[in-house]
């Protein structure tokens, strides 16, 4: 059965609006990196139910709206550069079915994306988060990247648990609300 696009567009619009509302919390410094992760978790629903392009569409809509609204720019750059699309990309990468190549690809994506994001933050915003008093900038960058890789793997594991939770507890009620009949 081909689903009407109105259901897909409506669902993606609502989830994007919810993500934008969550991203507005980045104005509180405590939520600088946690909020973008939470905002991106909503894209799991359209990615699973409608396909990855719909999950990515939600990400793009949220990114554009957040550029226009007063969100914290550092968090927004990290959201656009990595955290926003990662839950959808994770599902695509995990279709490989082999653990080591999946982890290698995920870490590769993370490292390229986070380095690029922080290059933009430094160049565009003029903020260098690696200037930490007496600590060498290169040492601070290396520590940040090392700790970042560990935290990223923890995020990946947590997203796996969220996806499992979605399939076990939330999928049937959401499919009922969206009036999706087929089971798979």
């Amino acid at each position: 059965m081909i689903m009407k696009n109105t259901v897909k567009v409506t669902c993606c619009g609502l989830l994007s609006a919810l993500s934008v509302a969550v991203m507005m919390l980045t104005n509180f410094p405590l939520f600088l990196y946690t909020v973008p992760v939470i905002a991106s978790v909503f894209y799991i629903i359209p990615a699973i139910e409608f396909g990855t392009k719909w999950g990515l569409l939600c990400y793009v809509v949220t990114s554009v709206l957040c550029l226009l609204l007063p969100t914290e720019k550092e968090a927004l750059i990290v959201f656009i550069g990595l955290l926003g699309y990662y839950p959808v990309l994770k599902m695509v990468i995990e279709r490989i079915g082999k653990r080591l190549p999946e982890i290698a690809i995920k870490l590769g994506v993370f490292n390229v994306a986070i380095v690029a994001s922080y290059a933009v933050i430094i160049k565009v915003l003029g903020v260098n988060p690696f200037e930490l008093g007496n600590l060498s900038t290169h040492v601070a960058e290396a520590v940040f990247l090392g700790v970042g890789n560990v935290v990223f793997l923890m995020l990946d594991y947590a997203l796996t648990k969220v996806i499992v939770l979605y399939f076990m507890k939330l999928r049937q009620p959401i499919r009922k609300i969206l009036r999706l009949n087929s089971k798979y």
Side-chain angles (χ1 to χ4, degrees), residues 131-137 139:
E131 292 177 356
L132 302 172
N134 296 335
L135 193 60
S136 163
T137 300
V139 171

Side-chain angles (χ1 to χ4, degrees), residues 86 90 93-111 149-150 152-154 156-157 160:
Y86 182 71
K90 170 186 173 51
I93 292 170
E94 289 180 351
R95 291 180 188 157
I96 294 172
K98 295 183 180 175
R99 192 112 174 106
L100 286 178
E102 290 172 1
I103 291 171
I105 292 168
K106 290 174 186 178
L107 286 174
V109 167
F110 168 75
N111 285 294
N149 277 277
V150 172
F152 177 74
L153 290 174
M154 291 171 28
D156 184 68
Y157 179 76
T160 298

Side-chain angles (χ1 to χ4, degrees), residues 6 15 26 36 44 50 57 65 74 78 86 89 100 140 146 157 180:
T6 54
L15 292 171
T26 59
I44 291 171
F50 313 134
L57 178 64
L65 289 174
E74 185 176 348
V78 174
Y86 182 71
L89 181 62
L100 286 178
Y157 179 76
L180 301 175

Side-chain angles (χ1 to χ4, degrees), residues 16-80:
S16 294
L18 187 57
S19 291
V20 169
V22 169
M23 282 296 291
M24 297 303 288
L25 294 173
T26 59
N27 291 316
F28 298 102
L30 180 65
F31 302 136
L32 192 62
Y33 296 107
T34 55
V35 166
V37 171
I38 294 167
S40 69
V41 169
F42 298 117
Y43 311 146
I44 291 171
I45 297 169
I48 289 171
E49 299 304 338
F50 313 134
T52 54
K53 73 177 183 178
W54 288 94
L56 291 174
L57 178 64
C58 287
Y59 154 74
V60 169
V61 168
T62 302
S63 298
V64 170
L65 289 174
C66 287
L67 280 169
L68 301 173
L69 295 170
T71 55
E72 211 302 315
K73 297 308 176 200
E74 185 176 348
L76 180 58
I77 291 169
V78 174
F79 175 82
I80 292 172

